[in-house]
């Protein structure tokens, strides 16, 4: 699959050298000033609810980003409609670098699952960088008689229609991640949508829903305590925080790969000088130990490709998710 990881693998050395060059230049320069007046806050729109993964990531690094840019960063949560509500405000923002957005996987999933979106997810944005990626994990309530993906597939095929999986909502990346698994394994498992990650996790823990694809960081403690059973991680490689859990791909579904990610964008037409200024701000911020360590603690792998690679990533992920939605027959109810 042509994911950010494949893009990163093809240009890893170039990207790292580019990132180091940016960071070195930024660290040797005076504090970055605003193009349109020093001291003006940067408004960062998050089209997700407070407490979500992307929200936690940005709040963890916002103080460092403010230091790097030389002015305050004000986070504004505008959730709704799978991220469409907030993103509509991002694409209509002034093209002067005063407003950016931070979006996640849903941005590239939405065009394939929603009929009417009031903007073009590619043409109406200016990609700045992909801040970081994080894996998901397929978990089961301990009452499910399976400890591996192979055992789950065997049980589900022997008991069609018996199992169910939950998601954080119709059309979300967690829905798509589980639907991709069910489709590729050829299983008959029913989908139960929830309103967000919190309610989903509570009901998997309580056994009201038996399976789910969830973020690694909030699930890790429950996995270690035995309250949840990890069957497989969704990334291409095993995860450092769950080294004993094999990938889904290595358990009989080659090609299955899915990571969560957060990326900084601006409205279409954002001047290159502003794109570079904000990109350098992220580079400087994530060289600060407090920001870097906070992001890693939340399960993220820091990426920070330059704007051109971020744009290529958005194009490839949009195409890949469209095919995944079609193959998995994900539809809005």
């Amino acid at each position: 699959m042509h994911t950010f990881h494949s893009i990163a693998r093809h240009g890893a050395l170039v990207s790292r050298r580019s990132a180091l060059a940016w960071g070195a230049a930024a660290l040797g320069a005076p504090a970055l000033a605003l193009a349109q007046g020093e001291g003006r806050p940067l408004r960062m729109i998050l089209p997700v609810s407070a407490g979500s993964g992307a929200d936690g990531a940005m709040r963890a690094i916002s103080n460092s980003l403010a230091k790097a840019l030389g002015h305050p960063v004000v986070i504004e949560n505008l959730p709704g409609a799978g991220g469409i509500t907030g993103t509509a405000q991002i694409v209509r923002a002034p093209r002067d670098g005063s407003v950016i957005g931070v979006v996640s996987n849903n941005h590239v999933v939405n065009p394939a699952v929603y009929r009417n979106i009031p903007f073009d997810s590619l043409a109406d944005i200016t990609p700045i960088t992909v801040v970081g990626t994080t894996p998901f994990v397929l978990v089961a309530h301990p009452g499910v008689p399976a400890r591996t993906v192979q055992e789950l597939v065997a049980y589900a095929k022997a008991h069609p229609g018996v199992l169910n999986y939950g998601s954080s909502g119709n059309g979300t990346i967690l829905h798509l991640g589980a639907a991709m698994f069910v489709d590729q394994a050829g299983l008959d498992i029913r989908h139960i949508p929830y309103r967000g990650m919190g309610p989903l996790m509570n009901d998997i823990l309580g056994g009201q829903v038996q399976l789910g694809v969830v973020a690694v960081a909030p699930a890790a403690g429950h996995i270690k305590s035995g309250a949840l059973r990890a069957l497989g991680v969704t990334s291409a490689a095993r995860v450092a925080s769950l080294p004993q859990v094999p990938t889904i791909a290595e358990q009989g579904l080659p090609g299955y790969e899915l990571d969560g990610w957060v990326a900084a964008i601006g409205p279409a037409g954002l001047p290159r000088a502003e794109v570079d200024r904000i990109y350098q701000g992220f580079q400087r911020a994530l060289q600060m130990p407090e920001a870097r360590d906070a992001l890693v603690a939340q399960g993220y792998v820091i990426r920070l490709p330059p704007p051109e690679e971020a744009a290529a990533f958005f194009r490839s992920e949009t195409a890949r998710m469209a095919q995944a939605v079609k193959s998995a027959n994900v539809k809005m109810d």
Side-chain angles (χ1 to χ4, degrees), residues 107-190:
H107 183 82
V108 297
V109 174
N110 286 338
V113 297
Y114 284 93
R115 293 181 180 178
N116 297 305
I117 298 179
F119 53 82
D120 187 307
S121 294
L122 291 177
D124 290 340
I125 68 166
T126 299
I128 298 172
T129 191
V130 180
V131 179
T133 59
T134 184
F136 300 118
V137 57
L138 174 64
V139 297
H141 183 269
V144 175
R147 294 184 176 274
T148 66
V149 164
Q150 294 98 324
E151 290 179 2
L152 174 64
V153 170
Y155 180 82
K157 287 187 174 181
H159 303 84
V162 170
L163 295 176
N164 54 50
Y165 72 88
S167 78
S168 54
N170 278 317
T172 62
I173 191 63
L174 298 186
H175 177 196
L176 183 58
M180 287 168 58
F181 168 76
V182 169
D183 174 64
Q184 290 183 32
L187 306 179
D188 179 8
I189 301 178
R190 187 165 58 101

Side-chain angles (χ1 to χ4, degrees), residues 53-329:
D55 176 74
M58 290 305 101
R59 291 186 187 277
I61 69 171
S62 61
N63 287 339
S64 296
L65 183 60
K67 291 177 186 177
L69 291 171
H71 56 84
V73 174
V74 178
I75 294 176
E76 183 176 352
N77 297 91
L78 294 176
I84 293 173
T85 301
T87 307
Q89 295 299 313
I90 298 168
V91 303
R92 291 197 291 264
R95 297 176 175 86
D96 60 2
S98 64
V99 180
I100 65 168
V102 174
V103 297
S104 56
N105 303 67
N106 288 347
H107 183 82
V108 297
V109 174
N110 286 338
V113 297
Y114 284 93
R115 293 181 180 178
N116 297 305
I117 298 179
F119 53 82
D120 187 307
S121 294
L122 291 177
D124 290 340
I125 68 166
T126 299
I128 298 172
T129 191
V130 180
V131 179
T133 59
T134 184
F136 300 118
V137 57
L138 174 64
V139 297
H141 183 269
V144 175
R147 294 184 176 274
T148 66
V149 164
Q150 294 98 324
E151 290 179 2
L152 174 64
V153 170
Y155 180 82
K157 287 187 174 181
H159 303 84
V162 170
L163 295 176
N164 54 50
Y165 72 88
S167 78
S168 54
N170 278 317
T172 62
I173 191 63
L174 298 186
H175 177 196
L176 183 58
M180 287 168 58
F181 168 76
V182 169
D183 174 64
Q184 290 183 32
L187 306 179
D188 179 8
I189 301 178
R190 187 165 58 101
H191 173 225
I192 300 177
Y194 286 79
R195 291 184 177 272
M197 176 78 168
L200 166 63
M201 186 71 78
N202 288 339
D203 273 15
I204 299 177
L205 289 166
Q208 287 85 0
V209 63
Q210 296 154 312
L211 302 163
V213 169
V214 298
V216 167
H222 299 300
I223 292 168
K224 290 174 181 177
S225 73
L228 290 178
R229 184 177 295 153
L231 303 181
V233 293
T234 66
S235 48
R238 295 196 185 196
V239 177
S241 59
L242 298 171
Q244 77 283 6
V245 181
T247 69
I248 291 175
E250 68 182 281
Q251 296 185 78
L253 272 75
Y256 183 101
E257 182 182 347
L258 188 70
D259 282 308
W261 50 263
V262 290
I265 64 171
L270 186 64
R272 182 58 195 238
E274 289 300 302
V275 174
D276 290 345
R277 180 182 68 83
I278 297 166
Y279 174 59
Q280 290 179 43
F282 275 100
Q283 289 280 355
R284 284 172 56 88
L286 285 162
Q287 288 182 353
M288 299 178 189
E290 60 270 26
R292 183 179 62 247
D293 294 348
L295 205 59
V296 170
Q298 293 193 29
Y300 282 91
V301 176
I302 297 169
R303 299 297 182 185
L304 298 178
E308 291 80 7
E309 289 187 24
F313 168 74
F314 270 88
R315 291 192 297 269
S316 66
E317 280 293 275
T318 298
R320 187 171 80 97
M321 291 298 101
Q323 183 58 50
V325 167
K326 181 179 179 180
S327 296
N329 196 31

